[in-house]
Amino acid sequence: MTQKVVVYVTSEVTLHSKLKTYSGGLGEVAGSMARAGRDLPIVGCSLLYRGGYGEQEVNENGMTVHYPIADYSKMLKNTGTRCHLSVRDEDRRYDVYVDIWECSRGRYGTMPFYFLDTDIDANNERVRSFTRYLYGGSLITNRSKDLMIWQSIVLGVGTVLAMEALGFEVLKYHLNESHAVFTPLYLLNRELRAGTPLESALDHVRKKIIFTNHTPVDAGNPKYDIGTVLWLSGFHETIDFGLMHRLGGHAYFDATLACLRLSSKVNAVSLRHLEVCRDSWGGVSESASWSAVTNGVSPGFWQDEFASANTIAALMEFKKLYKRYKFYYILGKTGKMLNEEVLTIDWFRRFAEYKRPKLIFSNMDWLRSHLEEGHFQLVMGGKPHPDDRPMIDAWNEIWRWARELPNLVLLNGYDPEMSKIVKQGSDLWMMSSRAPLEACITSTISAAMVGANIMSIRDGWIWELDPVEQHYFLYGTSVPMSMYEQDAYDAASMREVIDAVVLPEFKGKQAWWQRQMRIRNMVLQHYTDLRMMREYWDLYGLDEEKMR
């Protein structure tokens, strides 16, 4: 009997640290969805990036990036099923053969996940490169706008063809960010080619599509030349410029606008993000109605022994143990040994301008004094995109400071296991992004599950908490200002809160651990992956039992 499923379509997913199909938070959320869906009629689909997002290393001059090509044959199973699509460039049409790899149900504690692979002998070198690097790679790998469009075509069109080739009956496609826009575009193109009237075809497609937006930042909302999209995809034979303008805008093809107009339901990933989305896209004609499903994370993945830390005494004991493990890990990576008794502040995420990795460095005299006198230790880490020169420069500057200053560490590289080690040994997990640009700040949820207190701007899911209840350390502003004014205000507020609230509370111990237990218990009750999945299933509007 044909299996009825929901298909979760995502450009990245974090299933295992050695499966380089992730870059950051979007992949982590997709991994949480995959774990929460283990026993449900839902499957995932993404691309198989053998070169990943690039491996970050460091030499005497600072950060470097290289792209080793991975062999996933021991981690995934080639299904032996191949699908076929075609794309164009300026001069010719290309056949694209796609092998389908499977991460079977339960393999890494997840639902079945399928990966599309064009890096195979059946394709020419250009086509092989379509799925080789996450988000098309970088200037190092000859990344181009055309390559990014081809990659999105393989993800979107390939998902539909792969599910059919594997014998699934797809009831809904859940698009995890607008990189998957070619799924509804292909479904629309196919309906029109079959002679379905336009409005009926649009209605048919919308009933199949759920769309999640994860960020207001431009990088998550790609825009392309309309003619280029039509020509490279081959959809120009069926979809004209007028329809593309209607779906994606007039100046260029906005993938997010098209997803809004080709979906039955769309959602933000926190209540605060919902407000931002409505401000940005609330007036879009023909858009599906907005709602919010706040992200959740998987306790089973992050907690380990912390799962049994139901008292302050147990929490303190586990934190001591995991902090020691983390410090020996750091010693092996950097040659620096930190002090287990000193407050450890952690900043660990993608290096992006709006995340403001240098905010705590805005007053170097203040920071130097605290580090040299041993008032706190600062552990940082994360990857800039290889083409983001300003953020590479910021990373290198922090790296140079870490070579000079005591109690400052910069870790190179990023993977979920490293993130887990850093979080489990963290005293204070710090978020410094410029409000309101963080959609959810999901890393703070997992950090809270493993005994870390949280210091944050009021943004993302933190917006949903009442500051009076003192679940976290609040600093900064969420009131719109100029960028310069906001950064200066937030930096001064950060220093004030660390000096006046964080350090005294850490020394006093009891209030510190009471605060941690409050946020730990609260996130375990309200911000897990299972709660997130239940809310998505309500969005799907499907009867799970009838699907089995």
Side-chain angles (χ1 to χ4, degrees):
M1 189 171 93
T2 302
Q3 184 181 356
K4 298 177 180 179
V5 295
V6 172
V7 180
Y8 183 70
V9 192
T10 181
S11 56
E12 60 174 285
V13 61
T14 307
L15 300 183
H16 189 280
S17 61
K18 293 183 178 179
L19 190 60
K20 303 296 185 178
T21 55
Y22 56 85
S23 68
L26 185 68
E28 294 284 7
V29 173
S32 293
M33 281 287 291
R35 288 184 281 274
R38 176 175 177 170
D39 299 319
L40 294 171
I42 181 170
V43 302
C45 197
S46 190
L47 301 180
L48 191 65
Y49 308 105
R50 297 181 185 276
Y53 193 61
E55 293 297 312
Q56 180 189 44
E57 307 239 340
V58 65
N59 61 25
E60 64 277 5
N61 298 314
M63 195 190 98
T64 65
V65 176
H66 68 290
Y67 290 88
I69 301 301
D71 176 5
Y72 296 131
S73 59
K74 294 182 179 179
M75 302 183 70
L76 305 173
K77 180 183 76 173
N78 192 324
T79 63
T81 301
R82 177 175 290 179
C83 57
H84 168 265
L85 57 110
S86 64
V87 298
R88 302 188 66 93
D89 66 8
E90 298 87 351
D91 303 316
R92 55 171 288 193
R93 185 181 69 85
Y94 289 92
D95 288 311
V96 180
Y97 297 96
V98 183
D99 277 3
I100 307 168
W101 294 74
E102 180 185 34
C103 179
S104 58
R105 188 182 302 276
R107 177 74 169 90
Y108 298 113
T110 73
M111 65 193 184
F113 232 94
Y114 295 93
F115 293 92
L116 310 179
D117 178 20
T118 67
D119 198 0
I120 58 177
D121 291 341
N123 294 318
N124 65 30
E125 178 55 31
R126 169 174 277 185
V127 173
R128 292 187 68 153
S129 72
F130 288 177
T131 63
R132 190 173 293 159
Y133 306 108
L134 188 57
Y135 301 127
S138 66
L139 295 175
I140 300 170
T141 65
N142 297 315
R143 182 191 195 204
S144 68
K145 278 278 190 180
D146 285 1
L147 177 57
M148 294 172 68
I149 295 171
W150 285 321
Q151 186 172 91
S152 288
I153 292 169
V154 174
L155 174 64
V157 177
T159 292
V160 177
L161 298 177
M163 295 302 104
E164 292 174 348
L166 293 168
F168 291 115
E169 180 182 346
V170 179
L171 300 183
K172 300 283 183 181
Y173 292 95
H174 180 175
L175 313 183
N176 190 41
E177 203 62 284
S178 60
H179 299 288
V181 67
F182 282 94
T183 291
L185 281 178
Y186 176 66
L187 294 175
L188 177 61
N189 181 70
R190 195 156 68 172
E191 286 294 315
L192 295 175
R193 287 179 66 88
T196 306
L198 175 58
E199 298 306 321
S200 297
L202 288 169
D203 185 57
H204 174 83
V205 172
R206 287 166 180 152
K207 288 177 180 178
K208 289 273 191 182
I209 304 295
I210 307 291
F211 171 57
T212 299
N213 176 270
H214 279 272
T215 179
V217 177
D218 285 347
N221 300 283
K223 299 173 178 66
Y224 305 116
D225 176 77
I226 293 175
T228 302
V229 169
L230 286 174
W231 182 254
L232 296 186
S233 64
F235 294 168
H236 64 285
E237 297 174 358
T238 308
I239 300 175
D240 61 24
F241 272 79
L243 181 53
M244 287 295 275
H245 287 315
R246 176 179 170 182
L247 296 175
H250 287 271
Y252 39 71
F253 179 75
D254 185 321
T256 296
L257 289 184
C259 287
L260 297 180
R261 289 168 168 150
L262 289 170
S263 301
S264 58
K265 296 176 182 177
V266 299
N267 73 280
V269 292
S270 72
L271 292 176
R272 177 56 176 152
H273 182 218
L274 177 61
E275 291 184 5
V276 174
C277 288
R278 282 176 170 161
D279 287 343
S280 298
W281 298 298
V284 171
S285 62
E286 298 190 80
S287 171
S289 59
W290 281 92
S291 61
V293 176
T294 302
N295 287 344
V297 304
S298 309
F301 177 80
W302 293 103
Q303 281 196 300
D304 294 333
E305 292 176 288
F306 282 97
S308 62
N310 297 318
T311 66
I312 286 178
L315 191 62
M316 292 174 67
E317 188 63 29
F318 285 129
K319 180 57 67 174
K320 181 178 180 180
L321 175 67
Y322 281 90
K323 197 172 177 181
R324 179 174 300 164
Y325 177 77
K326 168 183 171 177
F327 287 175
Y328 277 105
Y329 176 83
I330 289 172
L331 177 65
K333 293 274 285 185
T334 69
K336 278 192 173 182
M337 188 65 187
L338 301 180
N339 188 331
E340 295 176 29
E341 303 301 319
V342 174
L343 171 69
T344 304
I345 301 174
D346 295 274
W347 190 103
F348 196 74
R349 51 183 29 89
R350 278 192 311 110
F351 267 58
E353 192 280 330
Y354 77 94
K355 294 180 182 289
R356 300 187 297 187
K358 290 178 62 179
L359 192 68
I360 197 171
F361 296 88
S362 58
N363 186 323
M364 284 302 296
D365 290 339
W366 173 86
L367 182 61
R368 184 182 298 273
S369 174
H370 276 301
L371 294 175
E372 289 180 345
E373 294 178 27
H375 298 154
F376 62 76
Q377 303 163 139
L378 180 59
V379 176
M380 299 192 66
K383 287 183 181 180
H385 189 277
D387 294 340
D388 191 345
R389 192 68 248 176
M391 285 296 98
I392 292 174
D393 290 343
W395 195 97
N396 285 336
E397 191 168 17
I398 296 170
W399 172 72
R400 286 190 290 271
W401 285 328
R403 299 176 76 182
E404 300 169 7
L405 291 172
N407 297 320
L408 172 61
V409 167
L410 179 64
L411 295 171
N412 68 284
Y414 169 84
D415 63 53
E417 289 303 321
M418 180 186 288
S419 178
K420 189 173 180 179
I421 290 168
V422 174
K423 287 174 182 171
Q424 289 179 335
S426 176
D427 293 319
L428 184 68
W429 195 259
M430 184 173 68
M431 193 285 288
S432 60
S433 299
R434 188 180 297 112
L437 298 179
E438 277 286 6
C440 188
I441 336 170
T442 314
S443 70
T444 56
I445 302 174
S446 48
M449 285 183 177
V450 292
N453 269 314
I454 305 302
M455 184 172 181
S456 179
I457 305 291
R458 192 160 181 250
D459 201 6
W461 77 280
I462 295 288
W463 185 271
E464 300 168 19
L465 308 183
D466 185 348
V468 174
E469 296 179 0
Q470 296 187 340
H471 286 105
Y472 63 101
F473 297 101
L474 174 66
Y475 75 97
T477 182
S478 54
V479 177
M481 299 179 178
S482 71
M483 185 184 299
Y484 174 81
E485 290 175 315
Q486 186 171 351
D487 291 355
Y489 182 91
D490 289 352
S493 177
M494 173 191 286
R495 295 191 295 270
E496 181 182 355
V497 171
I498 289 174
D499 287 342
V501 185
V502 171
L503 286 170
E505 191 168 303
F506 181 78
K507 291 176 182 176
K509 297 297 183 187
Q510 184 175 4
W512 179 270
W513 290 106
Q514 288 172 341
R515 184 189 296 265
Q516 209 301 301
M517 287 297 287
R518 283 196 297 275
I519 195 166
R520 173 186 181 274
N521 292 338
M522 188 271 300
V523 297
L524 287 172
Q525 183 175 359
H526 298 292
Y527 292 94
T528 66
D529 55 341
L530 294 179
R531 186 273 313 155
M532 174 177 65
M533 179 58 84
R534 283 196 300 271
E535 292 186 17
Y536 274 122
W537 210 265
D538 287 342
L539 270 188
Y540 301 154
L542 300 174
D543 188 326
E544 178 194 334
E545 291 302 318
K546 289 182 179 179
M547 291 174 65
R548 294 187 183 279

